[in-house]
Amino acid sequence: MDLDIKYIKITIFLLKKIIGTTFPNPPVVSLIVESNKKKTLNKIVSFGCTFEGGRPHAEAVALRKIIFKKNFLYTLYTSLEPCCHSGRDESCVSKILKTKINRVVFSLRDPDKRVNGLGEKLLRNNGVAVVGGILTEETKKIYSGYILNRKFHRPKIIIKIGSSLDTKIASKPNKSDRITNDQVKKIVHVLRSEADAVLVGKKTVNIDNPRLNCRIEGLKKFSPIRIILSKKLDLNLNSNIFKNCKISPTIIFTLKNQNQKIKKISEKKVKVFMLNKRMFKLSNIIEELAKLGVCNLLVEGGGEIFTSFLNEGLVDRLIIFRSNSLIGGMGVNAINVLNKNKKLTFKHKHLSIIRNNTMEILEK
């Protein structure tokens, strides 16, 4: 196997392990390989992953762990093109150029307009050999949300539905029902840990009273930002979601002119975005979320919210958990009336049995 492919494969393998841990920056994995001059002996001498919270970057972590030796060549392998813009710290390109790195190999060119080939160009212009585009199809899948954020100013949007066999999410209106099993619940917590934000409507808050965090040991600190859509701010302030906003950041999108209610809600340490009636639509809301750095958005409810996202063509992936029971009767539909003039088609990607429930994944 070609050495470049071998080492990029390792970065991709490790990259999958840190999805959801580096918000607001993308996850990156870097390796440094030491080689003799004939390249007959090659070994990994350092590696780094983007830290929790997005900094320091993977390349910087890998570089600070290594002691360079004379008469050896050093290649830095990284899942994403090294950044070349400075912010709270100098750029990764600047740090690389201060070392004995002879060569840089990356998988995906960074879609961020501040980089997007410029990192590669600066390295080349300063005498570092660069190879890009190794196994890009694999990394594109992992970075799909980041690519959508940087190129189209929106996150990747994943709808998660938990329903009965006849696609009902509750036995009757304004009632909360536990439909799927405990194993499904654990999978949902993992999905939350991989998302930057989770979004619900005000009915889900008031009726289901969710916490929308991760409650699996080891994943708790990777709970997503909670997003609530409520035009009138008619939310129950005693809901679970308002009990730990200091730990789990919470954002509410509402209409303007809700000043008295906003004061009460702000006391819960919640951030409130006020939009006028014309601007209160999903396309604007997800653009605001993209500005905050959200690349992967998990939509958890309810039926009106699911339907709105589908009608506006804003769904990239559907994850449907189905129980083995039927509700019928007055049951609440997971999806309401869809636009007749817009045909929605998704491709089946995965189907699995989770005890007596199923999980189906569909993508555009």
Side-chain angles (χ1 to χ4, degrees):
M1 182 190 292
D2 180 274
L3 281 177
D4 288 347
I5 294 175
K6 172 185 174 181
Y7 291 121
I8 288 294
K9 273 184 176 288
I10 294 172
T11 69
I12 293 171
F13 174 81
L14 295 172
L15 184 64
K16 293 174 182 177
K17 308 294 182 185
I18 62 167
I19 292 171
T21 67
T22 63
F23 178 82
N25 288 336
V28 179
V29 173
S30 298
L31 308 173
I32 297 176
V33 174
E34 182 182 85
S35 309
N36 62 3
K37 291 198 173 179
K38 292 184 179 180
K39 292 196 174 180
T40 54
L41 295 173
N42 307 279
K43 65 177 181 180
I44 297 172
V45 290
S46 185
F47 80 97
C49 302
T50 308
F51 266 32
E52 296 167 17
R55 287 186 180 275
H57 290 184
E59 298 92 331
V61 176
L63 288 169
R64 73 187 187 189
K65 292 180 178 179
I66 186 173
I67 297 174
F68 292 98
K69 301 175 185 176
K70 290 182 179 180
N71 302 318
F72 283 92
L73 301 173
Y74 292 90
T75 302
L76 185 144
Y77 290 90
T78 187
S79 56
L80 189 67
E81 176 187 8
C83 71
C84 54
H85 54 89
S86 57
R88 287 177 287 172
D89 194 5
E90 65 179 320
S91 71
C92 291
V93 166
S94 296
K95 290 182 177 182
I96 291 167
L97 293 175
K98 292 177 180 178
T99 71
K100 287 185 65 179
I101 296 292
N102 312 101
R103 189 167 172 264
V104 171
V105 179
F106 65 85
S107 180
L108 185 70
R109 175 170 285 181
D110 194 334
D112 191 313
K113 63 183 180 181
R114 297 170 296 178
V115 188
N116 198 19
L118 185 56
E120 177 182 358
K121 183 179 179 181
L122 287 170
L123 289 167
R124 288 185 190 280
N125 288 347
N126 284 276
V128 178
V130 183
V131 176
I134 305 293
L135 300 177
T136 53
E137 291 308 307
E138 289 189 44
T139 43
K140 275 181 182 177
K141 292 175 184 176
I142 300 170
Y143 287 117
S144 56
Y146 177 63
I147 293 168
L148 283 169
N149 181 295
R150 293 302 190 263
K151 285 191 172 182
F152 301 102
H153 312 294
R154 76 167 182 88
K156 180 177 181 177
I157 298 169
I158 302 144
I159 280 184
K160 185 279 295 181
I161 298 173
S163 78
S164 61
L165 274 175
D166 51 344
T167 65
K168 307 291 184 181
I169 56 175
S171 58
K172 61 183 180 180
N174 301 317
K175 187 176 186 302
S176 178
D177 292 288
R178 178 72 184 279
I179 295 175
T180 51
N181 63 31
D182 288 339
Q183 195 64 30
V184 166
K185 186 177 180 181
K186 290 179 181 178
I187 294 171
V188 171
H189 283 279
V190 173
L191 291 175
R192 287 177 186 169
S193 75
E194 294 176 347
D196 300 319
V198 57
L199 182 147
V200 296
K202 61 103 174 179
K203 284 186 180 179
T204 298
V205 173
N206 290 341
I207 298 169
D208 294 343
N209 196 20
R211 283 176 277 182
L212 299 180
N213 56 7
C214 301
R215 297 188 295 281
I216 293 177
E217 202 59 45
L219 296 181
K220 292 178 181 178
K221 61 182 176 180
F222 302 125
S223 292
I225 298 170
R226 286 95 57 89
I227 312 296
I228 304 168
L229 306 188
S230 177
K231 289 182 178 180
K232 297 180 181 179
L233 277 185
D234 45 349
L235 296 161
N236 180 357
L237 296 186
N238 293 317
S239 299
N240 286 327
I241 206 165
F242 295 117
K243 291 178 181 177
N244 61 345
C245 295
K246 287 183 180 179
I247 299 171
S248 296
T250 304
I251 298 172
I252 299 174
F253 284 89
T254 189
L255 290 174
K256 286 184 176 178
N257 304 319
Q258 306 289 343
N259 295 331
Q260 289 184 335
K261 293 179 180 179
I262 285 172
K263 185 177 179 181
K264 287 183 179 180
I265 283 181
S266 296
E267 291 172 358
K268 299 286 185 178
K269 308 301 179 186
V270 172
K271 185 172 183 179
V272 180
F273 276 79
M274 293 180 289
L275 303 173
N276 61 42
K277 192 172 183 179
R278 185 176 59 85
M279 296 297 289
F280 197 95
K281 52 186 179 180
L282 290 180
S283 56
N284 291 328
I285 289 167
I286 64 170
E287 186 175 342
E288 289 297 327
L289 294 178
K291 290 176 184 176
L292 296 174
V294 174
C295 294
N296 295 286
L297 175 66
L298 182 65
V299 179
E300 288 205 31
E304 292 179 14
I305 296 290
F306 296 150
T307 305
S308 296
F309 272 93
L310 287 165
N311 277 334
E312 293 198 28
L314 293 172
V315 180
D316 301 292
R317 173 181 283 188
L318 275 167
I319 302 177
I320 304 171
F321 297 99
R322 287 191 179 90
S323 72
N324 61 337
S325 62
L326 293 165
I327 290 177
M330 293 291 291
V332 179
N333 291 321
I335 298 169
N336 301 321
V337 180
L338 295 173
N339 292 336
K340 292 181 180 179
N341 60 347
K342 185 176 286 187
K343 186 178 179 181
L344 299 172
T345 58
F346 292 87
K347 296 177 183 177
H348 284 82
K349 292 293 182 180
H350 177 82
L351 178 65
S352 61
I353 297 172
I354 305 164
R355 293 182 185 167
N356 56 359
N357 289 189
T358 62
M359 177 176 73
E360 187 178 7
I361 299 176
L362 304 98
E363 292 181 353
K364 273 189 176 178

